[in-house]
Amino acid sequence: MVKKYGLEDVSKATVSRMATYLRCLTYLEQQGASTLSSRELASLTGVSAEQVRQDLSVFGRFGKRGTGYDVAHLKTEVEAIFGRGVERWKCCIVGVGSLGTALMSSRMVQKWGFRYVAAFDRDPRKIGTHVERIPVYSIDELKTIVRREHIAIGVIAVPASSARNVARILCEAGIRGILNFAPQSIKVPEKVPMLSVDLSQEFLKLSFYIQSAEQRAREEQIQIDAASHNE
Amino acid sequence: MVKKYGLEDVSKATVSRMATYLRCLTYLEQQGASTLSSRELASLTGVSAEQVRQDLSVFGRFGKRGTGYDVAHLKTEVEAIFGRGVERWKCCIVGVGSLGTALMSSRMVQKWGFRYVAAFDRDPRKIGTHVERIPVYSIDELKTIVRREHIAIGVIAVPASSARNVARILCEAGIRGILNFAPQSIKVPEKVPMLSVDLSQEFLKLSFYIQSAEQRAREEQIQIDAASHNE
DNA sequence: CAGTGTGAATAGGTTCACAGCG
DNA sequence: CGCTGTGAACCTATTCACACTG
């Protein structure tokens, strides 16, 4: 089916939620659910029902009025939006440390059509070995192999100090997109999409929200105390 | 210094950027930088200078007009916003698989005052062992140990199928915040802050952006072709 | 008549423009 | 004079309200 929407004007938030919907749809299909309403999908994902309908309507009209959405059909449509069926994304990982190894072990990622075909490291003891059946090469071979194998996605799992250099090499090799797990801001040409995930930042953010929640709780307690005092 | 702002009305986006600023400030301090302007911090983090000033002004007036910000001082202030100095956050990890192990090995997290004091797993072969010097206990002991050790943060690194159960146990144990790495939507009481990171969703999102970028490139190419045709 | 799809209203976040200070 | 801090303008995202359909 040919899509009429322009991928370029889909908001980041919508893309993120679409991925969550897809995860839920997969789960629901496994559970044997056949149809679901926007309200159900909303309550499963923690967004509002209007938001679900608004998000889906960006890409098409997938629902039946009065009935809701067909789980299997909607899943196929959302998969197509994320490029499933179009191709199986070839990935490589740079940095075979504990995080890199953990990422390669994740069966999850494979399920969506992503496939690691190469790993790269600087450590001579690792070069030539295999991790999760994926061969580990020297970073010097990166450009050659990325080009030869037509690798689409490069995953950066090296220390912050080498992240920028790795990103540069990946871009020069003609990589189509980058996933950066190094705690380092990286600039890449605008035509190379990049997403960064900084695990330590998540801890920092969480500690902020904990303090925020506990401050709010204290303030509410003071209000309750004051109110009971006035009785 | 006593803060005048209400932590509750700080936007998610601002919190996220503040964590990025802190990462940059740490880097800059190591590099020996003494002052920086909002424009410099902006270009390092990929946001606008106005955004940087707007974000910082939520928490206080840290800059000197005409000069900029003092790196060391601003870093201290931002650290304080994230609760550094107030306490060292005790953490526990549930699920000693490859991801759980990778998270425990991360020195990064320790640098910000987070400290793993316990790990939990269901696998009898892992219980009683140590991973990165952190003892692995049975999940049955979770509640007791979290309460006894006053553990603040629980990290979920188990398969999706057990994530909800683990979250429930953590909440019952009185955990103050949760970081969820399982690909599963989880509901927790509103008073327990939770952040979720789904690594496979990041791959999906990236593949969407790659397609989007390549579609845009094709469209631009068509425009260029058409223009040169009209010459 | 239940539930989608969608224009309109509202809320929220970002950028602009400039006053004010070091 | 340069750069911060900030109200106002602008733009984006979410929610509301309801027409419409299977």
Side-chain angles (χ1 to χ4, degrees), chain A residues 3-12 14-15 18 58-59 77-78 80-83 86 89, chain B residues 205-219:
Chain A
K3 291 297 181 302
K4 311 143 295 290
Y5 57 87
L7 294 178
E8 62 276 11
D9 40 52
V10 180
S11 79
K12 271 193 174 182
T14 297
V15 175
M18 291 298 288
V58 172
F59 300 99
E77 291 285 359
V78 179
I81 289 163
F82 283 106
V86 178
W89 300 90
Chain B
K205 282 155 64 178
L206 182 63
S207 66
F208 181 89
Y209 291 123
I210 290 174
Q211 291 176 91
S212 171
E214 290 175 358
Q215 180 182 299
R216 195 173 56 231
R218 276 196 302 276
E219 280 165 6

Side-chain angles (χ1 to χ4, degrees), chain B residues 64-215:
Chain B
K64 282 189 177 48
R65 300 187 182 209
T67 316
Y69 303 87
D70 179 79
V71 173
H73 176 245
L74 185 58
K75 175 166 167 274
T76 309
E77 291 286 358
V78 179
E79 279 182 340
I81 289 162
F82 283 106
R84 169 100 181 197
V86 178
E87 61 184 316
R88 294 183 77 76
W89 300 90
K90 282 191 179 184
C91 306
C92 71
I93 202 148
V94 189
V96 186
S98 54
L99 181 59
T101 307
L103 288 166
M104 285 191 276
S105 328
S106 165
R107 296 278 160 275
M108 198 61 52
V109 174
Q110 288 179 35
K111 229 180 62 180
W112 298 117
F114 300 91
R115 189 158 56 92
Y116 291 109
V117 296
F120 301 95
D121 206 290
R122 211 162 47 181
D123 186 342
R125 285 166 302 181
K126 288 175 183 165
I127 295 165
T129 65
H130 286 245
V131 175
E132 297 282 327
R133 305 193 174 191
I134 297 143
V136 180
Y137 303 101
S138 159
I139 291 187
D140 298 332
E141 298 183 78
L142 197 151
K143 278 193 207 178
T144 319
I145 293 169
V146 166
R147 286 193 184 123
R148 191 180 67 209
E149 301 283 335
H150 296 98
I151 295 173
I153 293 174
V155 180
I156 301 180
V158 298
S161 52
S162 16
R164 286 180 177 176
N165 194 36
V166 167
R168 187 181 50 73
I169 298 171
L170 282 168
C171 290
E172 286 171 7
I175 204 85
R176 292 164 67 195
I178 293 176
L179 215 45
N180 172 40
F181 288 95
Q184 173 71 256
S185 301
I186 295 177
K187 279 199 192 66
V188 285
E190 214 199 330
K191 62 171 189 171
V192 182
M194 182 177 76
L195 291 180
S196 287
V197 180
D198 184 337
L199 300 178
S200 57
Q201 279 196 24
E202 300 300 321
F203 280 83
L204 284 173
K205 282 155 64 178
L206 182 63
S207 66
F208 181 89
Y209 291 123
I210 290 174
Q211 291 176 91
S212 171
E214 290 175 358
Q215 180 182 299

Side-chain angles (χ1 to χ4, degrees), chain A residues 37-49:
Chain A
S37 66
S38 59
R39 197 173 316 133
E40 289 172 291
L41 188 50
S43 100
L44 284 166
T45 53
V47 305
S48 70

Side-chain angles (χ1 to χ4, degrees), chain A residues 170-181:
Chain A
L170 282 167
C171 289
E172 286 171 7
I175 205 84
R176 291 163 67 195
I178 294 176
L179 214 46
N180 172 41
F181 288 95

